[in-house]
Amino acid sequence: MSEKKIITDSGIEIKQVYDQPVAMTEQPGSFPFTRGVHASMYRDRLWTMRQYAGFSTAEESNKRYHYLLSQGVMGLSVAFDLPTQIGYDSDHAMSEGEVGKVGVAIDSLEDMEILFKGINLQDVSTSMTINATAFILLSFYIALAKKQGADIRKISGTIQNDILKEYAARGTYIYPPAPSMRLITDIFEYCSKEVPKWNTISISGYHIREAGSTAVQELAFTLANGKAYLQAAIAKGLDINVFAPRLSFFFNAHNNLFEEVAKFRAARRMWANITKSLGATDPKAQMLRFHTQTGGSTLTAQQPRNNIVRVSMQALSAVLGGTQSLHTNGYDEALSLPTEEAATIALRTQQIIAFESGATQTADPLAGSYYVESLTNEVEAAAWKLIEKIDVMGGAVKAIEQGFVQDEIARAAYAYNKAIEEGEKIIVGVNKFTSKDAEETPVFKIDDSIRVVQSEKLKALREKRDNSKANECLEKIRQQASTTENLMPAVIEAVENLCTLGEISDVLRSVWGEYKG
């Protein structure tokens, strides 16, 4: 009797029955960290429960942060609006219609101060999803910490700061690749000396997956980008054993529970071998630590409450796979920014997994499963094949410039959507088990008047600051941009003197130009 061939979205064939693979002798907390970066994993310390939030003005987002902290989140995760992400102040013509829409508008140190009002930065870990302007947002954060009287050597958090995936999958870049990579290595160097607890980059597979990649592509392209950052920092003369421990990763979690667990386990093993091959000898420099967010692109506008189950399944895969930090999406995010109710349910999902599921009671609970061990090996082998192709092209930057990564993601996205349209892949509530009755779901709306509010703040700021000092700071950045001098001290001085995000970005545009994809 012929049996139907079943494959994952990455094209890996699933056998009907699995036999025992090669016996495992590795333990959690030991090289190559397949089974986790800590020997006891969650028995001693749970993952950091984050909720991604940011919308409208700094005042409104601050209210949501205080609410989330009161509900038990352990760390904040900041979403910025599109103008902030691509280096425009809220009063710039290019910002019209976008201020405060997909995140919070941050134009100056004053906005950052309002955003974290009543929150001691030395006591909270903050993740910021920001890339092209990461160096400016980090400077705002450091300047605010200093104003609060914090020891900046003790503040902790993460900036995404992963520009390569912007060229490949997301699009919020400003400058060409070479100066963008320079900014990243400047941050590595500065933070390793001045802000040693800060994670200087979160190398992101999340947006690669959101753009339509498979799990294997997400893994391969993310690690290839990570390898490029390592090589750039080493070329600058930085010690891999010093800067690599502050690198972290950001992965997506989709619906195929076992493939996702295998992806996370393979990622640790692969990164350990990549760092070792580039000279890392400190185990902390070889460890892959990662944040996970549940899959935004898997959420459906149809029957949106089904998304609660999807998010739960995805979150469980991240925990079983050994994540260090987790954000769970609101069930209504296919319709709007999450309401307070949806954000609370998403947080409770993490708390139920943590305290009721039993998944935290032993390290790497799926270890030894014939299926999971075999799938981990197969995911890893398929990812290495893609990385080898990228290496032949000259590395991640060259592969992106040649369009290889973009083309691979586009082909995968087309195949996935075609499978849904033809009914080969079932999405509950979309192409099967549909309902004629539409569900009433409250949506979160952003007021269009926010741009006016932000523009008035900017006008007042420019009137009260010492403009001669501000211009002096901007000129200093302009001059240093043409040298190899580290830009971070000059940018921090500029934001302390109330230079705006757009002004700093424009100075560098005038020196480096803009990248046209």
Side-chain angles (χ1 to χ4, degrees):
M1 184 179 73
S2 63
E3 59 182 54
K4 184 180 178 183
K5 185 177 179 180
I6 297 175
I7 59 171
T8 70
D9 293 330
S10 297
I12 295 170
E13 184 177 356
I14 304 302
K15 300 175 186 176
Q16 184 170 304
V17 176
Y18 282 81
D19 297 321
Q20 185 174 6
V22 176
M24 286 191 68
T25 56
E26 178 196 326
Q27 292 300 310
S30 62
F31 184 90
F33 309 106
T34 312
R35 301 193 59 196
V37 293
H38 304 299
S40 57
M41 286 305 292
Y42 306 128
R43 286 171 70 102
D44 291 334
R45 181 184 174 185
L46 292 173
W47 63 91
T48 301
M49 297 182 193
R50 299 187 185 277
Q51 286 306 110
Y52 189 46
F55 54 88
S56 182
T57 60
E59 290 88 346
E60 290 301 311
S61 291
N62 177 261
K63 291 176 188 175
R64 178 66 67 90
Y65 295 157
H66 279 284
Y67 171 76
L68 289 170
L69 288 166
S70 75
Q71 295 301 303
V73 299
M74 302 170 185
L76 299 175
S77 188
V78 184
F80 297 98
D81 72 357
L82 193 56
T84 303
Q85 292 182 50
I86 55 176
Y88 293 117
D89 286 332
S90 297
D91 59 358
H92 193 284
M94 290 290 287
S95 300
E96 188 169 355
E98 292 294 342
V99 178
K101 289 294 175 69
V102 299
V104 62
I106 298 294
D107 295 315
S108 70
L109 178 58
E110 289 190 345
D111 284 336
M112 190 66 101
E113 195 164 3
I114 294 166
L115 185 67
F116 291 102
K117 186 177 179 181
I119 299 169
N120 189 330
L121 299 191
Q122 197 167 305
D123 296 337
V124 68
S125 168
T126 303
S127 174
M128 295 188 278
T129 303
I130 194 72
N131 296 285
T133 54
F135 67 107
I136 304 174
L137 271 298
L138 177 58
S139 296
F140 284 150
Y141 197 87
I142 290 169
L144 176 57
K146 287 162 71 175
K147 278 189 79 172
Q148 288 186 350
D151 178 352
I152 66 167
R153 296 187 66 81
K154 293 180 180 177
I155 61 171
S156 64
T158 305
I159 42 171
Q160 193 163 104
N161 199 28
D162 175 7
I163 204 64
L164 291 180
K165 66 94 177 50
E166 296 297 326
Y167 299 122
R170 191 162 175 262
T172 65
Y173 46 72
I174 302 174
Y175 315 113
S180 294
M181 293 291 276
R182 178 260 180 97
L183 283 172
I184 289 168
T185 54
D186 278 0
I187 291 170
F188 287 179
E189 182 181 47
Y190 176 82
C191 288
S192 67
K193 296 173 182 174
E194 306 294 338
V195 198
K197 293 183 75 174
W198 194 267
N199 294 321
T200 50
I201 193 168
S202 179
I203 304 159
S204 176
Y206 184 84
H207 300 100
I208 290 170
R209 193 70 175 279
E210 290 294 283
S213 81
T214 65
V216 165
Q217 289 173 333
E218 177 192 0
L219 176 57
F221 298 152
T222 304
L223 296 188
N225 288 347
K227 187 175 178 180
Y229 294 127
L230 290 176
Q231 291 168 327
I234 291 167
K236 191 170 181 172
L238 302 183
D239 183 345
I240 191 170
N241 287 311
V242 174
F243 74 82
R246 301 323 306 173
L247 274 58
S248 65
F249 286 78
F250 175 23
F251 287 116
N252 211 313
H254 274 219
N255 290 332
N256 189 321
L257 182 118
F258 295 106
E259 186 176 41
E260 295 301 301
V261 172
K263 177 188 75 180
F264 299 134
R265 297 174 89 246
R268 278 191 294 271
R269 188 157 71 205
M270 294 173 74
W271 185 246
N273 284 298
I274 287 170
T275 52
K276 186 177 180 180
S277 72
L278 291 173
T281 54
D282 184 342
K284 289 183 178 178
Q286 299 167 340
M287 290 178 184
L288 182 147
R289 296 167 299 111
F290 68 99
H291 169 73
T292 310
Q293 182 174 341
T294 55
S297 62
T298 68
L299 303 178
T300 63
Q302 303 92 328
Q303 300 178 21
R305 286 175 179 81
N306 291 349
N307 294 329
I308 297 173
V309 181
R310 293 186 179 102
V311 168
S312 301
M313 201 162 48
Q314 293 163 7
L316 182 60
S317 77
V319 172
L320 293 173
T323 194
Q324 277 62 67
S325 173
L326 179 60
H327 163 79
T328 33
N329 289 329
Y331 70 84
D332 55 358
E333 289 188 54
L335 302 169
S336 69
L337 289 169
T339 59
E340 199 167 272
E341 179 209 32
T344 303
I345 290 171
L347 176 60
R348 294 290 180 259
T349 300
Q350 292 199 50
Q351 291 165 336
I352 289 167
I353 291 171
F355 298 105
E356 298 185 28
S357 73
T360 63
Q361 292 170 359
T362 188
D364 195 19
L366 295 184
S369 157
Y370 296 174
Y371 179 31
V372 170
E373 296 297 351
S374 296
L375 195 53
T376 300
N377 295 339
E378 291 189 71
V379 167
E380 179 183 7
W384 278 127
K385 283 183 182 177
L386 278 173
I387 290 174
E388 285 161 9
K389 285 184 181 180
I390 290 168
D391 286 343
V392 168
M393 292 177 194
V397 176
K398 294 291 184 185
I400 290 166
E401 288 175 345
Q402 293 174 34
F404 171 75
V405 174
Q406 298 92 313
D407 289 347
E408 287 288 305
I409 294 170
R411 272 194 288 271
Y414 174 77
Y416 181 83
N417 286 307
K418 186 168 180 281
I420 292 171
E421 287 171 8
E422 294 178 355
E424 291 177 14
K425 183 167 187 64
I426 293 169
I427 307 295
V428 174
V430 175
N431 63 356
K432 196 160 187 175
F433 313 113
T434 56
S435 173
K436 293 179 181 177
D437 301 322
E439 286 186 30
E440 288 295 323
T441 305
V443 295
F444 189 84
K445 293 184 178 177
I446 300 295
D447 191 337
D448 282 325
S449 67
I450 291 162
R451 184 167 184 253
V452 175
V453 173
Q454 286 298 112
S455 297
E456 288 172 353
K457 282 188 196 174
L458 282 163
K459 183 181 177 184
L461 177 142
R462 291 180 181 124
E463 286 174 353
K464 75 178 182 183
R465 73 183 180 185
D466 182 339
N467 280 298
S468 63
K469 181 63 177 174
N471 289 333
E472 183 184 310
C473 290
L474 292 171
E475 183 58 30
K476 186 176 182 180
I477 292 171
R478 186 193 312 277
Q479 291 174 4
Q480 289 188 2
S482 298
T483 71
T484 57
E485 194 167 348
N486 194 305
L487 279 170
M488 284 299 294
V491 175
I492 292 170
E493 183 184 13
V495 304
E496 288 176 330
N497 284 281
L498 300 183
C499 294
T500 69
L501 174 135
E503 290 168 344
I504 295 167
S505 299
D506 283 346
V507 163
L508 294 178
R509 281 186 178 97
S510 72
V511 179
W512 294 336
E514 290 186 281
Y515 180 73
K516 304 296 182 185

